[in-house]
Amino acid sequence: MFNTLTRMGASGAGGAYEIEKSVRLNNNTDDSRFEWTPSGAGNTKVFTFSCWVKRTLFGVNNQYLIRTDTTFTDRINFDASDRLVLMCRDNNLLYTTRRFRDASAWYHIVVNTNTDNGTAGDRHQIWINGVRETEFDANNNLNGLTIAMNAAGDHHIGGDGSDGFGGYMAEVHLIDGQQIDASNFGETDEDTGQWIPKEYAGSYGTNGFYLDFKDNSGTTSSTLGKDSSGNGNNFTPQNFSVSAGAGNDSFNDTPTKNWCTLNYIDGNDDIDVKNGGLQVYTTGGFDLIKSTFYLRTGKWYWEVTCDDCGAGFVGVSNYWDSVSNRGGDSNDACTIATSDGDKRINGSTSSYGAAVSDGDVMMFALDMDNGKFWAGKSGTWFNSGDPAAGSNAATTSLAGDEITPSVSLYDNEDYTFNFGANMDFAHTPPTGFKAINMENYPEPTIKNPTDYFNTVLYTGTGSSQTITGVGFAPNLTWIKKRNASENHELQDSVRGATKRLAVNTTDAESTVAGSISAFTSDGFTVVDAGTTNENTHTYAAWNWKESAAAGFDIVTYTGNGTSGRTISHGLGVKPDVMIVKKRSDAEDWILYCGDLLGTAGGWIKPNEADTSVSGHSSGFNGTDPTSSVFTVGDHSRTNENSATYVNYLWSMVSGFSKFGQYTGNQDAWGPFVWCGFKPRWIWIKHTNRDANWGMYDTKRDPTNPNSNILHSNLSNADNTSGSDFDILSTGFKVRNSSQSMNKDGDTIFFMAFAETPFNYANAH
């Protein structure tokens, strides 16, 4: 047995404090849990519970993080709606409005109680990733009553013998007699803005404990269940294994070293995901699931055990592979049929390997630097392949896309993935190929996206005020009144403060001294305009910094009416999106998106709900931009003689910005869109039917489901009951069947900017 893959650097969570181990709980299969009964009572009014969790089981009730029982029950658990619940004395006290449906990263959860707290609203608190929750579907409190926590009754971590948590847990603390907040267990990384673990330095009280799961030499109360607080309050593990192999429940997957698993969110909802997101099963037909890591560069290795092969397909998929097919739907994906070893590329199968039998271990190697992929079984690569030498690959066409491990299952099939987090690989990985985890994942060029894009919310005063908190001197600021109808206002530092354009109209540029009067080093100053600063009204401002590193440039020019004219830009790479607006006269906005919509040089109009996607023959002279210039034709929207224009240009930057499209399915289980980051801001437009543009962000609506929508082509106020999305650590999930956002088979264009790159993102 081999696992020769070495630590390659700090691409995971920053900070000096490292969490070594987590434990996997399989309460959808084996009722795993930890049990302890104190010999006497501690403080039965005051406690703090802290843990880190990575969820892999969703939509199932009574997923207990901790449960305590005396004559009544206290518990902290996820419910069937994926809300977090606090119960004390058999009373459901707090139900979060937030849904916890992120399968790709770790949540930090702190729940505390003090029934004697003189402020009723502070008696019970929930903190997620360092931020206190304030929105609850149910919010009650107990006044002065004793509870079961810290009493001389059963204390269970992860389950109670019939119900319980499915996923990974790490760093489990119970503090007896203190109501303390999340800052005692975590902190914000100064470089990345990520919430990261830190060592707890306080006392635990009589019945407090700390389970770090580091001792995996056995499954006893003095090993895996050992209390490391110094209190000796050891727990007895039930239904765990630390033996070598797929059943090993001791993992290196932790909040400081996140590992790849299969992604419940990025798959067909008929698939049953088990055993920490590493085993999948279906009773349907060709249900596909992808992993939590998409790969653009590097060399990677993993294995899959075929527990029940049948007619399945295993390999790699891109974003476009349908979750209701065999995979390998395009030229940028490749899956292997376990029935005969044939490979499937671009929807067609051809001879490649050999049939796989139940119990066989398949090997996979992916070289994204050269676009190559290999598969094999039982120590032998198919077709005499040699990944280390780069020869005889199944395909050489994967470079330039983002590729992820995947499997498509047919009726009653079962596969177990090994990414290396809990066991050695059965076969020696090729030289230079790494395990798929965050330490090996390429670091983003922008560690903290808020250095280049940020959203601020503020309330108008009707008199001059300086808005701060942007974090940089903005070069482009887009403001929208939230609580009433008003035009969008867009200003930039190149045209100069007071020069206003309205994205939802065709209006020419106007000079309004009462709107943005100046840009500052940390924001901007607004005066008295209704679009930016009316007294008591609420506003959102989205801000971009002009920078080649962030893929953003602003160019102004005067038209000459000559087709084929080239104009320089400063991106240094080809722009993916350009937004052009005539300043001197009324005219439609033009958003050029190249071939992102399947139309060469396609463009759409941000100020309209119009469905049409036009070519670039007149507006951009049938010529795509280059790394140094863009070309304009003689159209009035881009190059009328003597007219003035502004062009906002963006190129995608990995981990910071993503532009593209998704295909609707008109189902509440909508498409998942991989971005490679947790989005801060998403802008979408249906391109097959008349539909309004939609804008979502995590400042106006910080929790899932995210439903606060503004329409960039309308002056309407914020709609707080719009179509639901889940914003996640790696992208976003459509959770509505709206025809405007998710019409079956239709194309929806999107632009997204990051809050946090996946490398540093907490689960959202």
Side-chain angles (χ1 to χ4, degrees), residues 2-3 5 20-24 54 106 168 216 243 245-254 257-262 275-278 293 301-303 417-425 434-438 440:
F2 299 89
N3 192 346
L5 307 178
E20 294 182 24
K21 293 289 183 182
S22 68
V23 65
R24 176 176 62 182
K54 182 177 176 180
W106 287 78
Y168 303 89
N216 60 2
S243 299
N248 182 7
D249 295 311
S250 179
F251 274 73
N252 296 322
D253 192 340
T254 74
K257 188 179 178 181
N258 192 21
W259 284 71
C260 187
T261 65
L262 295 174
N275 292 327
L278 297 176
F293 279 62
Y301 177 85
W302 68 98
E303 296 176 348
F417 279 65
N418 177 16
F419 294 108
N422 71 324
M423 61 176 175
D424 292 340
F425 289 114
K434 307 171 187 175
I436 307 175
N437 62 51
M438 200 56 75
N440 294 331

Side-chain angles (χ1 to χ4, degrees), residues 46 66 87 363 398 453 570:
V46 185
I66 185 170
M87 170 192 279
M363 311 171 301
L398 304 181
F453 171 79

